[in-house]
Amino acid sequence: MSESPPPPPSWSITGMANNAVQFLRLPVIASSGLAVVASGLLYFKQNELIYPRNIPADARTNVPKPRQFGITNYEELQIPTPDGESLHALFIRPTRKGVASNVTVLMFHGNAGNIGHRIPIARVMQDVLGCNVFMLEYRGYGLSTGVPDEAGLKIDAQTALDYLRQRAETSNTKFVVYGQSLGGAVSINLVAENEDKGDIKGLILENTFLSIRKLIPTVFPPARYLARFCHQYWTSEEVLPKITKIPILFLSGLKDEIVPPSNMTQLFAICQSERKVWRTLPNGAHNDSVAEPGYFEHIHSFVKEEVVGDDQ
Ligand SMILES: *[C@@H]1O[C@H](CO)[C@@H](O)[C@H](O)[C@H]1NC(C)=O
Ligand SMILES: *[C@@H]1O[C@H](CO)[C@@H](O)[C@H](O)[C@H]1NC(C)=O
Ligand SMILES: *[C@@H]1O[C@H](CO)[C@@H](O)[C@H](O)[C@H]1NC(C)=O
């Protein structure tokens, strides 16, 4: 695939991303300090390691609002899950027409913080693509109820997709699923489970891992001898190859210090989708790849060429 042409002069993706990065001070995967605190209790405390929903300390109560980032056309939602939780979510409408006016991007966040911290990403996304953006806060995060675990997050992702399928405004749009880090694992699972429905038209993966078990020895070092007791699996390397038709964009920050970029290379290698696109951010680290030049250009051309295709 070729690079996309330069964006029209009325907007600058890189400029918007630069504005966004100043709000992205939190790690997508938080590692430092945590493992030490919890090492002895890993088996019972591993959820606190893998899902650090209290980082930063006020992440359960202080969820930034779209208005703080200049977004006015949005709805704040609480969506019930079949097992009795209530998920906080944002539905953001586009401010301009773009290549993807008939697209809804479903965003799945990394393992720290809350959706409010990612609003700058949503803002650039809807501006660059002219799409709807739906941001889901997993159970136990931000203003959602409950406690996170693998089974629960899978229910949450399905709940979000089912919500968009029945919402009048989005039921006739193409869905693009976008996940960063842990959100990549959530996305892979959701897309594999729903491929046969035909309404997911694209998957975008950023800096995600092969499986949690493979991550534990290096990302949570004090826990390395306990990896075999790990009860959170997120086996993306087993699930990803089940996706065969939906186009997939791999965005890999080559300076990722937390998930080695070779995990992304390997995921790309085992991907069986008919359409897969590999793009790197040469200076992208784990939690700032989104602010690297080219990031949103790659998303723009992927959506234009692989998702919207002939019917724009
Ligand atoms: C990324 O996270 C690390 C902590 O893991 C932090 O030190 C760094 O400042 C963060 N970078 C950005 C650009 O937010
Ligand atoms: C939007 O996409 C859906 C699914 O591909 C399609 O059924 C619908 O006709 C499209 N709507 C418009 C306005 O293009
Ligand atoms: C994936 O990342 C883990 C965690 O750092 C590492 O131990 C493993 O070797 C990596 N695997 C590949 C194939 O890159």
Side-chain angles (χ1 to χ4, degrees):
M1 276 180 53
S2 57
E3 292 294 307
S4 62
S10 58
W11 49 280
S12 148
I13 295 173
T14 306
M16 285 188 285
N18 284 344
N19 284 340
V21 72
Q22 60 183 295
F23 299 106
L24 297 172
R25 288 287 168 234
L26 87 162
V28 181
I29 280 204
S31 59
S32 50
L34 264 179
V36 177
V37 173
S39 60
L41 291 167
L42 177 77
Y43 187 79
F44 302 101
K45 290 290 182 188
Q46 61 182 263
N47 273 21
E48 298 306 316
L49 284 173
I50 295 170
Y51 310 106
R53 58 220 171 89
N54 295 305
I55 294 179
D58 63 352
R60 291 306 306 282
T61 49
N62 181 8
V63 181
K65 302 288 180 200
R67 266 177 217 288
Q68 293 168 242
F69 304 94
I71 296 173
T72 52
N73 195 0
Y74 70 95
E75 280 175 34
E76 194 164 353
L77 307 160
Q78 287 290 151
I79 299 173
T81 70
D83 62 339
E85 302 301 346
S86 173
L87 305 178
H88 180 233
L90 291 169
F91 180 73
I92 300 172
R93 298 187 188 85
T95 49
R96 58 188 286 279
K97 282 236 173 272
V99 287
S101 300
N102 191 23
V103 167
T104 302
V105 173
L106 178 46
M107 277 179 63
F108 291 118
H109 62 80
N111 73 343
N114 59 49
I115 53 175
H117 300 123
R118 278 85 180 185
I119 291 171
I121 302 172
R123 202 193 131 174
V124 181
M125 193 80 81
Q126 52 92 7
D127 218 12
V128 165
L129 298 175
C131 62
N132 303 309
V133 175
F134 181 88
M135 307 180 80
L136 180 76
E137 212 155 63
Y138 312 127
R139 65 184 58 200
Y141 282 82
L143 307 180
S144 296
T145 64
V147 176
D149 66 12
E150 182 168 358
L153 264 61
K154 288 175 179 172
I155 295 172
D156 298 346
Q158 190 66 50
T159 301
L161 179 61
D162 291 343
Y163 171 82
L164 293 171
R165 280 174 170 156
Q166 58 81 40
R167 186 182 166 116
E169 211 173 350
T170 50
S171 60
N172 263 333
T173 62
K174 299 170 194 259
F175 300 127
V176 171
V177 178
Y178 164 81
Q180 300 178 286
S181 191
L182 172 68
V186 174
S187 301
I188 289 168
N189 191 74
L190 181 73
V191 172
E193 290 289 317
N194 289 272
E195 184 169 54
D196 57 350
K197 296 283 196 317
D199 51 3
I200 299 176
K201 304 292 188 185
L203 169 61
I204 301 172
L205 300 172
E206 182 216 289
N207 295 342
T208 193
F209 46 79
L210 288 161
S211 74
I212 286 280
R213 195 177 290 234
K214 290 205 168 152
L215 216 55
I216 281 191
T218 46
V219 176
F220 314 109
R224 66 184 173 280
Y225 302 114
L226 295 168
R228 65 201 155 103
F229 298 120
C230 174
H231 55 62
Q232 300 294 297
Y233 305 109
W234 291 111
T235 54
S236 294
E237 60 187 321
E238 284 161 31
V239 181
L240 180 70
K242 295 180 184 164
I243 304 170
T244 58
K245 295 186 188 70
I246 293 168
I248 306 182
L249 171 62
F250 294 78
L251 292 169
S252 177
L254 300 184
K255 299 251 164 74
D256 192 328
E257 73 290 23
I258 294 177
V259 178
S262 53
N263 272 223
M264 283 291 283
T265 317
Q266 178 67 8
L267 284 171
F268 182 74
I270 62 173
C271 174
Q272 301 295 313
S273 179
E274 288 161 9
R275 300 293 309 167
K276 53 178 182 176
V277 179
W278 175 256
R279 292 288 179 261
T280 60
L281 296 311
N283 290 311
H286 189 70
N287 53 347
D288 68 3
S289 291
V290 67
E292 285 298 303
Y295 186 95
F296 286 100
E297 279 89 349
H298 294 325
I299 291 180
H300 182 266
S301 43
F302 172 77
V303 169
K304 186 166 185 275
E305 289 161 33
E306 304 292 344
V307 177
V308 180
D310 296 334
D311 56 41
Q312 20 177 328

